[in-house]
Amino acid sequence: MSDLLSRDLSLLPDLLDQARASALEFLTALPTRPAGIRSAPPAPLGLPDAGLGAGDALALFRRRYEAGLSGSAGPRYLGFVTGGTTPAALVGDWLVSAYDQNVSNDGDSLATSVEREALGLLRSLFGLPESFEGAFVSGATAANIVSLATARQWVMERLGHDVSEEGLWGLPKPVVLGGAPHASVLKALSILGMGRRSVEAVACLPDRPVMDPKALEARLAALGGAPAIVLASAGEVNTGDFDDLEALGQLCRRYGAWLHVDGAFGIFAACSPDHAQLLRGLAHADSVAADGHKWLNVPYDSGIVFTRHLALQERVFRAVAAYLGQGPDLLHRTPENSRRFRALPAWMTLMAYGRDGHRALVERSCALARDLGEGLAASPHYTLLAPVKLNIVCFALRSGDAARRDRLLQALQADGRVHFTPTQYAGRPGLRAAFSNWRTDAADLPLILAALEAAVISAR
């Protein structure tokens, strides 16, 4: 092993050139690479006794797996809410691996200063007050876990318990209220011991997956001052719709409830003057979750959590050991002690493209979503299931059941020009298109619509 390592170290410039060439070949082909690929994996290999060395390992990987990688970073991957990687973010991410900084403790590296500065840049981009502090985590799921763990601590302290020290055993069940929370929020509740079923459904507004403020007020009033956690969405996953954060925030302030806002992708609406009003009231939130690997277009994995209650958050996630110290280090803000230098790609892309560049990205995505919605509404084969409010298009075949929808998705995957993910909305099997990749532009729309029309024939 030591001989191989020594040899690879001596060959490192050439190895990095090989990796660079491999990456450029992949990135250059993204516009024509199949957006989604489902192929059978090769038979597993055993661990070699004698290593191959880095060059041969790279060649083996490319032969076995590269052709089966999807074009998910490309312009017509519209599944889930998937961003690409801007050139600046890619440069930053490559350097993250080279620098290999553990962004946990202050004092031995300025990497922690980069993270704090990147959080400040995002706080400014989102229009959050200076009182909000945060940290980078692996994604919005982790951000929701951190936020709801802090909310749980708040609830239990209100009831006279320190759950971070004493645990949940024998304590009353927290009141959790939500309209249409994302699956990652429910997952967070499961992990935290509160349970997916702890969410009490609050009535939504007619034909919209957002909470009715009057229904929430009635439930909060009935609690008689008991603490509650309110789950709000800034960008519902099927429609891109927003809870009325101003109304919900005022109610939470009045009745003493914790307001958590899941803004995984929708928080980037703040970049656009045409859509920023959707986030009016965000400053009322007690905690906010966001994703960088969606609309910020930085590589996986990147999530951000903000809170107005940093001391509470640090009580939950404090790592207690003499060698770790008791200072305001970032390791006390998240479940991780050892933390990747995730902030650098975000810092790079924010500095490289600025407020104007991110506004242009958001506005182009929203315009493309509107144009696709208009194209689908004019089609004899498709219908919109919800109005296009931001960057999400939720639609369905005009006729047919879930089996026909699934055949349509199979036909689209075989075609390769575009990738969608399925959903169920308003009682109908549908599809979703999410525009969040910086590479997607108006030239992609005719290809997307043509692929959809062609796939209808195969789905009959």
Side-chain angles (χ1 to χ4, degrees), residues 422-448:
T423 192
Q424 185 85 11
Y425 184 75
R428 294 185 61 178
L431 300 91
R432 308 170 51 260
F435 289 87
S436 49
N437 191 306
W438 69 275
R439 291 175 177 266
T440 313
D441 60 28
D444 292 299
L445 273 179
L447 295 172
I448 295 167

Side-chain angles (χ1 to χ4, degrees), residues 400-446:
D401 56 10
R404 188 180 180 217
R405 188 272 315 276
D406 292 345
R407 291 196 298 273
L408 177 75
L409 285 169
Q410 291 168 6
L412 286 165
Q413 188 167 63
D415 177 279
R417 283 177 287 179
V418 64
H419 181 82
F420 301 101
T421 38
T423 192
Q424 185 85 11
Y425 184 75
R428 294 185 61 178
L431 300 91
R432 308 170 51 260
F435 289 87
S436 49
N437 191 306
W438 69 275
R439 291 175 177 266
T440 313
D441 60 28
D444 292 299
L445 273 179

Side-chain angles (χ1 to χ4, degrees), residues 54-74:
D56 287 345
L58 173 60
L60 177 63
F61 171 80
R62 296 193 70 191
R63 289 196 305 272
R64 283 174 59 81
Y65 290 110
E66 192 175 84
L69 301 180
S70 75
S72 58

